[in-house]
Amino acid sequence: MKSSIAVVADADTVTGFKLGGIKEGYVVESTQEAEETLTNLIKEKTAIIIITEKIGEELREVIEKFTKSSALPMIIEIPDKSGPSDRATDPMRELIKRVIGVEMVK
Amino acid sequence: MSQEMIEGINPTRMELLKLKDREKLAVKGYSLLKEKRNALIMEFFNILERVKGSRENVEEKLKEAFEDLTTAQILMGDLAVNKAAMSVKESIELDIDSRSIMGVVVPVRDSTSSSRTVVERGYSFVDTSVKLDEAAKKFEESLALIIELGEIEKTIVLLAGEIESTKRRVNALEHIIIPRLENTVKYIEMRLEEMERENFVRLKVIKKSMEME
């Protein structure tokens, strides 16, 4: 199955990934815009959507709704130009802890 | 062990047989679910091995890529960089398959290399800096890492959800449903025996009173 990739991020990140070979880059400025773009992309069955951590933080619930149950789309959060944000809790780590029952050293 | 039972059960032989069947089924389901849970957890640990450090790799790679991009922007100007980005030819395509782990469908990426030659990138060399080439290369590399990370994280999320629900069902069977069935079966057996003894005594008394006459 051929799959498409899209980027939803700020201007610089989109430029960077365009250079890296992703044509579907969407520059978003506001949370609402990001949500609309994301919903549209999912409707179009985009397989992989790359978003910045900032957007991910703001749209956490929307993203969870789409990604909880099915294999696709994959929504991947990456740090933007300002570097990785220091999140108090890494969601992955929390999840692993909840499932295994003990803290895993990652 | 709790002494809970199923409410509203008549102590009859029919009910006893039915309950015994249900108990057998519950025990069978329990052992199957337990196996499923163990298999899922094993798979989960395998994937945990892979996730180790892969987010750090992505972050590292992206940092380098952004540094190169910024340098390119400084050297060439924002507009020129945007122009170069616009002229990139086509999206990288990749194949995503899915694979099933104990009924959980997880994505699997077909590992095709996403690196392209400089010419394939499609922008002109006349007015671009070498830093732009480097930035593009770094972004391509980080893209591959990002996709791998996405695949792993997605798998973890899906597996974790399945493990949680399987765990809950195993626990419900083990701690609530099976004991409750066992208690009810025991209760009915005891009631039936008690009724038999009552009957026996009744017969004895009747026999005695008949002999007295």
PDB file of all heavy atoms in Angstrom, chain A residues 12-44:
ATOM      1  N   ASP A  12       9.153  27.154   9.590  1.00  0.00           N
ATOM      2  CA  ASP A  12      10.514  26.648   9.426  1.00  0.00           C
ATOM      3  C   ASP A  12      10.551  25.130   9.332  1.00  0.00           C
ATOM      4  O   ASP A  12      11.268  24.564   8.514  1.00  0.00           O
ATOM      5  CB  ASP A  12      11.389  27.108  10.589  1.00  0.00           C
ATOM      6  CG  ASP A  12      11.873  28.532  10.361  1.00  0.00           C
ATOM      7  OD1 ASP A  12      11.995  28.910   9.181  1.00  0.00           O
ATOM      8  OD2 ASP A  12      12.107  29.242  11.350  1.00  0.00           O
ATOM      9  N   THR A  13       9.769  24.492  10.168  1.00  0.00           N
ATOM     10  CA  THR A  13       9.748  23.032  10.144  1.00  0.00           C
ATOM     11  C   THR A  13       9.231  22.528   8.799  1.00  0.00           C
ATOM     12  O   THR A  13       9.780  21.582   8.218  1.00  0.00           O
ATOM     13  CB  THR A  13       8.863  22.490  11.276  1.00  0.00           C
ATOM     14  OG1 THR A  13       9.202  23.175  12.476  1.00  0.00           O
ATOM     15  CG2 THR A  13       9.059  21.015  11.465  1.00  0.00           C
ATOM     16  N   VAL A  14       8.188  23.198   8.316  1.00  0.00           N
ATOM     17  CA  VAL A  14       7.635  22.781   7.028  1.00  0.00           C
ATOM     18  C   VAL A  14       8.674  22.960   5.925  1.00  0.00           C
ATOM     19  O   VAL A  14       8.870  22.067   5.090  1.00  0.00           O
ATOM     20  CB  VAL A  14       6.345  23.566   6.712  1.00  0.00           C
ATOM     21  CG1 VAL A  14       5.932  23.346   5.273  1.00  0.00           C
ATOM     22  CG2 VAL A  14       5.233  23.145   7.649  1.00  0.00           C
ATOM     23  N   THR A  15       9.366  24.092   5.933  1.00  0.00           N
ATOM     24  CA  THR A  15      10.423  24.313   4.936  1.00  0.00           C
ATOM     25  C   THR A  15      11.456  23.202   4.995  1.00  0.00           C
ATOM     26  O   THR A  15      11.845  22.640   3.976  1.00  0.00           O
ATOM     27  CB  THR A  15      11.110  25.668   5.196  1.00  0.00           C
ATOM     28  OG1 THR A  15      10.127  26.660   5.322  1.00  0.00           O
ATOM     29  CG2 THR A  15      12.068  26.004   4.078  1.00  0.00           C
ATOM     30  N   GLY A  16      11.872  22.886   6.202  1.00  0.00           N
ATOM     31  CA  GLY A  16      12.886  21.852   6.377  1.00  0.00           C
ATOM     32  C   GLY A  16      12.436  20.528   5.801  1.00  0.00           C
ATOM     33  O   GLY A  16      13.162  19.876   5.053  1.00  0.00           O
ATOM     34  N   PHE A  17      11.200  20.148   6.105  1.00  0.00           N
ATOM     35  CA  PHE A  17      10.751  18.847   5.636  1.00  0.00           C
ATOM     36  C   PHE A  17      10.446  18.846   4.143  1.00  0.00           C
ATOM     37  O   PHE A  17      10.529  17.814   3.493  1.00  0.00           O
ATOM     38  CB  PHE A  17       9.550  18.362   6.448  1.00  0.00           C
ATOM     39  CG  PHE A  17       9.976  17.726   7.726  1.00  0.00           C
ATOM     40  CD1 PHE A  17       9.902  18.413   8.914  1.00  0.00           C
ATOM     41  CD2 PHE A  17      10.504  16.446   7.732  1.00  0.00           C
ATOM     42  CE1 PHE A  17      10.332  17.839  10.093  1.00  0.00           C
ATOM     43  CE2 PHE A  17      10.949  15.872   8.901  1.00  0.00           C
ATOM     44  CZ  PHE A  17      10.856  16.573  10.084  1.00  0.00           C
ATOM     45  N   LYS A  18      10.127  20.043   3.634  1.00  0.00           N
ATOM     46  CA  LYS A  18       9.975  20.112   2.183  1.00  0.00           C
ATOM     47  C   LYS A  18      11.308  19.810   1.521  1.00  0.00           C
ATOM     48  O   LYS A  18      11.383  19.089   0.528  1.00  0.00           O
ATOM     49  CB  LYS A  18       9.481  21.494   1.778  1.00  0.00           C
ATOM     50  CG  LYS A  18       7.976  21.572   1.778  1.00  0.00           C
ATOM     51  CD  LYS A  18       7.498  22.846   1.126  1.00  0.00           C
ATOM     52  CE  LYS A  18       5.996  22.869   1.051  1.00  0.00           C
ATOM     53  NZ  LYS A  18       5.476  24.243   0.899  1.00  0.00           N
ATOM     54  N   LEU A  19      12.361  20.371   2.073  1.00  0.00           N
ATOM     55  CA  LEU A  19      13.695  20.058   1.559  1.00  0.00           C
ATOM     56  C   LEU A  19      13.967  18.570   1.686  1.00  0.00           C
ATOM     57  O   LEU A  19      14.636  17.970   0.852  1.00  0.00           O
ATOM     58  CB  LEU A  19      14.749  20.838   2.328  1.00  0.00           C
ATOM     59  CG  LEU A  19      14.856  22.319   1.974  1.00  0.00           C
ATOM     60  CD1 LEU A  19      15.865  22.982   2.900  1.00  0.00           C
ATOM     61  CD2 LEU A  19      15.300  22.486   0.536  1.00  0.00           C
ATOM     62  N   GLY A  20      13.458  17.990   2.748  1.00  0.00           N
ATOM     63  CA  GLY A  20      13.683  16.565   2.982  1.00  0.00           C
ATOM     64  C   GLY A  20      12.810  15.680   2.119  1.00  0.00           C
ATOM     65  O   GLY A  20      12.934  14.472   2.162  1.00  0.00           O
ATOM     66  N   GLY A  21      11.922  16.271   1.347  1.00  0.00           N
ATOM     67  CA  GLY A  21      11.180  15.471   0.379  1.00  0.00           C
ATOM     68  C   GLY A  21       9.720  15.241   0.694  1.00  0.00           C
ATOM     69  O   GLY A  21       9.106  14.347   0.144  1.00  0.00           O
ATOM     70  N   ILE A  22       9.143  16.050   1.565  1.00  0.00           N
ATOM     71  CA  ILE A  22       7.708  15.915   1.803  1.00  0.00           C
ATOM     72  C   ILE A  22       7.018  17.122   1.199  1.00  0.00           C
ATOM     73  O   ILE A  22       7.239  18.250   1.620  1.00  0.00           O
ATOM     74  CB  ILE A  22       7.398  15.837   3.303  1.00  0.00           C
ATOM     75  CG1 ILE A  22       8.074  14.619   3.896  1.00  0.00           C
ATOM     76  CG2 ILE A  22       5.903  15.751   3.523  1.00  0.00           C
ATOM     77  CD1 ILE A  22       7.851  14.492   5.361  1.00  0.00           C
ATOM     78  N   LYS A  23       6.224  16.880   0.215  1.00  0.00           N
ATOM     79  CA  LYS A  23       5.620  18.010  -0.466  1.00  0.00           C
ATOM     80  C   LYS A  23       4.407  18.537   0.291  1.00  0.00           C
ATOM     81  O   LYS A  23       4.096  19.713   0.256  1.00  0.00           O
ATOM     82  CB  LYS A  23       5.199  17.597  -1.880  1.00  0.00           C
ATOM     83  CG  LYS A  23       5.180  18.796  -2.789  1.00  0.00           C
ATOM     84  CD  LYS A  23       5.479  18.416  -4.200  1.00  0.00           C
ATOM     85  CE  LYS A  23       5.840  19.667  -4.976  1.00  0.00           C
ATOM     86  NZ  LYS A  23       5.839  19.452  -6.397  1.00  0.00           N
ATOM     87  N   GLU A  24       3.735  17.654   0.966  1.00  0.00           N
ATOM     88  CA  GLU A  24       2.516  18.047   1.666  1.00  0.00           C
ATOM     89  C   GLU A  24       2.868  18.717   2.981  1.00  0.00           C
ATOM     90  O   GLU A  24       2.816  18.108   4.031  1.00  0.00           O
ATOM     91  CB  GLU A  24       1.663  16.809   1.944  1.00  0.00           C
ATOM     92  CG  GLU A  24       1.304  16.062   0.711  1.00  0.00           C
ATOM     93  CD  GLU A  24      -0.189  15.950   0.539  1.00  0.00           C
ATOM     94  OE1 GLU A  24      -0.932  16.414   1.414  1.00  0.00           O
ATOM     95  OE2 GLU A  24      -0.592  15.410  -0.495  1.00  0.00           O
ATOM     96  N   GLY A  25       3.218  19.972   2.907  1.00  0.00           N
ATOM     97  CA  GLY A  25       3.523  20.694   4.132  1.00  0.00           C
ATOM     98  C   GLY A  25       2.463  21.742   4.378  1.00  0.00           C
ATOM     99  O   GLY A  25       2.092  22.473   3.475  1.00  0.00           O
ATOM    100  N   TYR A  26       1.938  21.785   5.581  1.00  0.00           N
ATOM    101  CA  TYR A  26       0.911  22.778   5.889  1.00  0.00           C
ATOM    102  C   TYR A  26       1.409  23.664   7.018  1.00  0.00           C
ATOM    103  O   TYR A  26       1.718  23.160   8.096  1.00  0.00           O
ATOM    104  CB  TYR A  26      -0.397  22.108   6.298  1.00  0.00           C
ATOM    105  CG  TYR A  26      -0.971  21.250   5.194  1.00  0.00           C
ATOM    106  CD1 TYR A  26      -0.651  19.900   5.095  1.00  0.00           C
ATOM    107  CD2 TYR A  26      -1.799  21.805   4.231  1.00  0.00           C
ATOM    108  CE1 TYR A  26      -1.154  19.119   4.069  1.00  0.00           C
ATOM    109  CE2 TYR A  26      -2.314  21.031   3.204  1.00  0.00           C
ATOM    110  CZ  TYR A  26      -1.991  19.693   3.132  1.00  0.00           C
ATOM    111  OH  TYR A  26      -2.485  18.927   2.119  1.00  0.00           O
ATOM    112  N   VAL A  27       1.529  24.945   6.714  1.00  0.00           N
ATOM    113  CA  VAL A  27       1.948  25.870   7.753  1.00  0.00           C
ATOM    114  C   VAL A  27       0.707  26.293   8.519  1.00  0.00           C
ATOM    115  O   VAL A  27      -0.253  26.769   7.934  1.00  0.00           O
ATOM    116  CB  VAL A  27       2.618  27.112   7.143  1.00  0.00           C
ATOM    117  CG1 VAL A  27       3.062  28.063   8.239  1.00  0.00           C
ATOM    118  CG2 VAL A  27       3.798  26.695   6.292  1.00  0.00           C
ATOM    119  N   VAL A  28       0.735  26.083   9.812  1.00  0.00           N
ATOM    120  CA  VAL A  28      -0.417  26.501  10.605  1.00  0.00           C
ATOM    121  C   VAL A  28       0.032  27.498  11.660  1.00  0.00           C
ATOM    122  O   VAL A  28       1.139  27.420  12.186  1.00  0.00           O
ATOM    123  CB  VAL A  28      -1.127  25.306  11.284  1.00  0.00           C
ATOM    124  CG1 VAL A  28      -1.801  24.460  10.248  1.00  0.00           C
ATOM    125  CG2 VAL A  28      -0.158  24.504  12.090  1.00  0.00           C
ATOM    126  N   GLU A  29      -0.850  28.451  11.934  1.00  0.00           N
ATOM    127  CA  GLU A  29      -0.513  29.501  12.888  1.00  0.00           C
ATOM    128  C   GLU A  29      -1.287  29.327  14.199  1.00  0.00           C
ATOM    129  O   GLU A  29      -0.751  29.545  15.268  1.00  0.00           O
ATOM    130  CB  GLU A  29      -0.839  30.887  12.300  1.00  0.00           C
ATOM    131  CG  GLU A  29      -0.162  31.168  10.963  1.00  0.00           C
ATOM    132  CD  GLU A  29       1.330  31.441  11.103  1.00  0.00           C
ATOM    133  OE1 GLU A  29       1.785  31.650  12.246  1.00  0.00           O
ATOM    134  OE2 GLU A  29       2.028  31.433  10.080  1.00  0.00           O
ATOM    135  N   SER A  30      -2.542  28.926  14.081  1.00  0.00           N
ATOM    136  CA  SER A  30      -3.351  28.865  15.304  1.00  0.00           C
ATOM    137  C   SER A  30      -3.778  27.432  15.590  1.00  0.00           C
ATOM    138  O   SER A  30      -3.711  26.565  14.731  1.00  0.00           O
ATOM    139  CB  SER A  30      -4.596  29.727  15.133  1.00  0.00           C
ATOM    140  OG  SER A  30      -5.414  29.168  14.129  1.00  0.00           O
ATOM    141  N   THR A  31      -4.208  27.231  16.799  1.00  0.00           N
ATOM    142  CA  THR A  31      -4.650  25.900  17.205  1.00  0.00           C
ATOM    143  C   THR A  31      -5.817  25.419  16.355  1.00  0.00           C
ATOM    144  O   THR A  31      -5.867  24.271  15.928  1.00  0.00           O
ATOM    145  CB  THR A  31      -5.095  25.927  18.676  1.00  0.00           C
ATOM    146  OG1 THR A  31      -4.071  26.549  19.439  1.00  0.00           O
ATOM    147  CG2 THR A  31      -5.326  24.529  19.193  1.00  0.00           C
ATOM    148  N   GLN A  32      -6.738  26.382  16.097  1.00  0.00           N
ATOM    149  CA  GLN A  32      -7.935  26.011  15.344  1.00  0.00           C
ATOM    150  C   GLN A  32      -7.570  25.564  13.930  1.00  0.00           C
ATOM    151  O   GLN A  32      -8.067  24.556  13.426  1.00  0.00           O
ATOM    152  CB  GLN A  32      -8.864  27.210  15.300  1.00  0.00           C
ATOM    153  CG  GLN A  32     -10.304  26.819  15.061  1.00  0.00           C
ATOM    154  CD  GLN A  32     -11.146  28.039  14.750  1.00  0.00           C
ATOM    155  OE1 GLN A  32     -10.683  29.165  14.891  1.00  0.00           O
ATOM    156  NE2 GLN A  32     -12.358  27.816  14.321  1.00  0.00           N
ATOM    157  N   GLU A  33      -6.657  26.337  13.341  1.00  0.00           N
ATOM    158  CA  GLU A  33      -6.208  26.013  11.995  1.00  0.00           C
ATOM    159  C   GLU A  33      -5.584  24.617  11.973  1.00  0.00           C
ATOM    160  O   GLU A  33      -5.838  23.816  11.076  1.00  0.00           O
ATOM    161  CB  GLU A  33      -5.169  27.055  11.581  1.00  0.00           C
ATOM    162  CG  GLU A  33      -5.136  27.363  10.115  1.00  0.00           C
ATOM    163  CD  GLU A  33      -4.091  28.432   9.836  1.00  0.00           C
ATOM    164  OE1 GLU A  33      -3.866  29.294  10.709  1.00  0.00           O
ATOM    165  OE2 GLU A  33      -3.472  28.368   8.774  1.00  0.00           O
ATOM    166  N   ALA A  34      -4.773  24.359  12.979  1.00  0.00           N
ATOM    167  CA  ALA A  34      -4.097  23.063  13.055  1.00  0.00           C
ATOM    168  C   ALA A  34      -5.124  21.945  13.152  1.00  0.00           C
ATOM    169  O   ALA A  34      -4.991  20.913  12.492  1.00  0.00           O
ATOM    170  CB  ALA A  34      -3.174  23.037  14.270  1.00  0.00           C
ATOM    171  N   GLU A  35      -6.155  22.183  13.942  1.00  0.00           N
ATOM    172  CA  GLU A  35      -7.164  21.143  14.123  1.00  0.00           C
ATOM    173  C   GLU A  35      -7.883  20.857  12.805  1.00  0.00           C
ATOM    174  O   GLU A  35      -8.085  19.707  12.427  1.00  0.00           O
ATOM    175  CB  GLU A  35      -8.171  21.587  15.181  1.00  0.00           C
ATOM    176  CG  GLU A  35      -9.102  20.457  15.580  1.00  0.00           C
ATOM    177  CD  GLU A  35     -10.046  20.865  16.699  1.00  0.00           C
ATOM    178  OE1 GLU A  35      -9.743  21.848  17.400  1.00  0.00           O
ATOM    179  OE2 GLU A  35     -11.067  20.198  16.846  1.00  0.00           O
ATOM    180  N   GLU A  36      -8.231  21.940  12.091  1.00  0.00           N
ATOM    181  CA  GLU A  36      -8.918  21.761  10.816  1.00  0.00           C
ATOM    182  C   GLU A  36      -8.049  20.992   9.819  1.00  0.00           C
ATOM    183  O   GLU A  36      -8.500  20.050   9.175  1.00  0.00           O
ATOM    184  CB  GLU A  36      -9.276  23.122  10.215  1.00  0.00           C
ATOM    185  CG  GLU A  36     -10.599  23.660  10.720  1.00  0.00           C
ATOM    186  CD  GLU A  36     -10.779  25.118  10.343  1.00  0.00           C
ATOM    187  OE1 GLU A  36     -10.195  25.544   9.320  1.00  0.00           O
ATOM    188  OE2 GLU A  36     -11.477  25.817  11.074  1.00  0.00           O
ATOM    189  N   THR A  37      -6.781  21.413   9.732  1.00  0.00           N
ATOM    190  CA  THR A  37      -5.876  20.752   8.797  1.00  0.00           C
ATOM    191  C   THR A  37      -5.748  19.269   9.128  1.00  0.00           C
ATOM    192  O   THR A  37      -5.798  18.414   8.253  1.00  0.00           O
ATOM    193  CB  THR A  37      -4.487  21.408   8.862  1.00  0.00           C
ATOM    194  OG1 THR A  37      -4.650  22.809   8.942  1.00  0.00           O
ATOM    195  CG2 THR A  37      -3.664  21.047   7.660  1.00  0.00           C
ATOM    196  N   LEU A  38      -5.608  19.016  10.407  1.00  0.00           N
ATOM    197  CA  LEU A  38      -5.420  17.638  10.860  1.00  0.00           C
ATOM    198  C   LEU A  38      -6.638  16.780  10.507  1.00  0.00           C
ATOM    199  O   LEU A  38      -6.506  15.678   9.980  1.00  0.00           O
ATOM    200  CB  LEU A  38      -5.219  17.652  12.379  1.00  0.00           C
ATOM    201  CG  LEU A  38      -4.348  16.564  12.957  1.00  0.00           C
ATOM    202  CD1 LEU A  38      -2.977  16.641  12.341  1.00  0.00           C
ATOM    203  CD2 LEU A  38      -4.236  16.749  14.458  1.00  0.00           C
ATOM    204  N   THR A  39      -7.807  17.336  10.767  1.00  0.00           N
ATOM    205  CA  THR A  39      -9.030  16.584  10.473  1.00  0.00           C
ATOM    206  C   THR A  39      -9.141  16.290   8.987  1.00  0.00           C
ATOM    207  O   THR A  39      -9.490  15.176   8.579  1.00  0.00           O
ATOM    208  CB  THR A  39     -10.268  17.369  10.940  1.00  0.00           C
ATOM    209  OG1 THR A  39      -9.955  17.991  12.182  1.00  0.00           O
ATOM    210  CG2 THR A  39     -11.441  16.461  11.123  1.00  0.00           C
ATOM    211  N   ASN A  40      -8.832  17.308   8.171  1.00  0.00           N
ATOM    212  CA  ASN A  40      -8.879  17.110   6.725  1.00  0.00           C
ATOM    213  C   ASN A  40      -7.919  16.028   6.282  1.00  0.00           C
ATOM    214  O   ASN A  40      -8.263  15.166   5.473  1.00  0.00           O
ATOM    215  CB  ASN A  40      -8.515  18.412   6.002  1.00  0.00           C
ATOM    216  CG  ASN A  40      -9.714  19.330   5.912  1.00  0.00           C
ATOM    217  OD1 ASN A  40     -10.843  18.873   6.022  1.00  0.00           O
ATOM    218  ND2 ASN A  40      -9.462  20.609   5.741  1.00  0.00           N
ATOM    219  N   LEU A  41      -6.704  16.078   6.820  1.00  0.00           N
ATOM    220  CA  LEU A  41      -5.689  15.103   6.425  1.00  0.00           C
ATOM    221  C   LEU A  41      -6.131  13.694   6.779  1.00  0.00           C
ATOM    222  O   LEU A  41      -5.942  12.755   6.005  1.00  0.00           O
ATOM    223  CB  LEU A  41      -4.357  15.415   7.114  1.00  0.00           C
ATOM    224  CG  LEU A  41      -3.565  16.561   6.507  1.00  0.00           C
ATOM    225  CD1 LEU A  41      -2.360  16.856   7.363  1.00  0.00           C
ATOM    226  CD2 LEU A  41      -3.129  16.207   5.101  1.00  0.00           C
ATOM    227  N   ILE A  42      -6.736  13.572   7.928  1.00  0.00           N
ATOM    228  CA  ILE A  42      -7.160  12.244   8.359  1.00  0.00           C
ATOM    229  C   ILE A  42      -8.289  11.751   7.462  1.00  0.00           C
ATOM    230  O   ILE A  42      -8.349  10.585   7.094  1.00  0.00           O
ATOM    231  CB  ILE A  42      -7.562  12.263   9.835  1.00  0.00           C
ATOM    232  CG1 ILE A  42      -6.303  12.448  10.681  1.00  0.00           C
ATOM    233  CG2 ILE A  42      -8.256  10.977  10.239  1.00  0.00           C
ATOM    234  CD1 ILE A  42      -6.551  12.828  12.095  1.00  0.00           C
ATOM    235  N   LYS A  43      -9.162  12.693   7.068  1.00  0.00           N
ATOM    236  CA  LYS A  43     -10.239  12.329   6.154  1.00  0.00           C
ATOM    237  C   LYS A  43      -9.689  11.824   4.826  1.00  0.00           C
ATOM    238  O   LYS A  43     -10.235  10.915   4.214  1.00  0.00           O
ATOM    239  CB  LYS A  43     -11.138  13.526   5.906  1.00  0.00           C
ATOM    240  CG  LYS A  43     -12.464  13.416   6.650  1.00  0.00           C
ATOM    241  CD  LYS A  43     -13.404  14.524   6.230  1.00  0.00           C
ATOM    242  CE  LYS A  43     -14.188  15.018   7.430  1.00  0.00           C
ATOM    243  NZ  LYS A  43     -14.355  16.474   7.420  1.00  0.00           N
ATOM    244  N   GLU A  44      -8.588  12.437   4.403  1.00  0.00           N
ATOM    245  CA  GLU A  44      -7.996  12.032   3.130  1.00  0.00           C
ATOM    246  C   GLU A  44      -7.139  10.788   3.253  1.00  0.00           C
ATOM    247  O   GLU A  44      -6.424  10.414   2.349  1.00  0.00           O
ATOM    248  CB  GLU A  44      -7.141  13.175   2.570  1.00  0.00           C
ATOM    249  CG  GLU A  44      -7.955  14.298   1.979  1.00  0.00           C
ATOM    250  CD  GLU A  44      -7.105  15.538   1.788  1.00  0.00           C
ATOM    251  OE1 GLU A  44      -5.882  15.407   1.650  1.00  0.00           O
ATOM    252  OE2 GLU A  44      -7.682  16.636   1.794  1.00  0.00           O
TER     253      GLU A  44
END
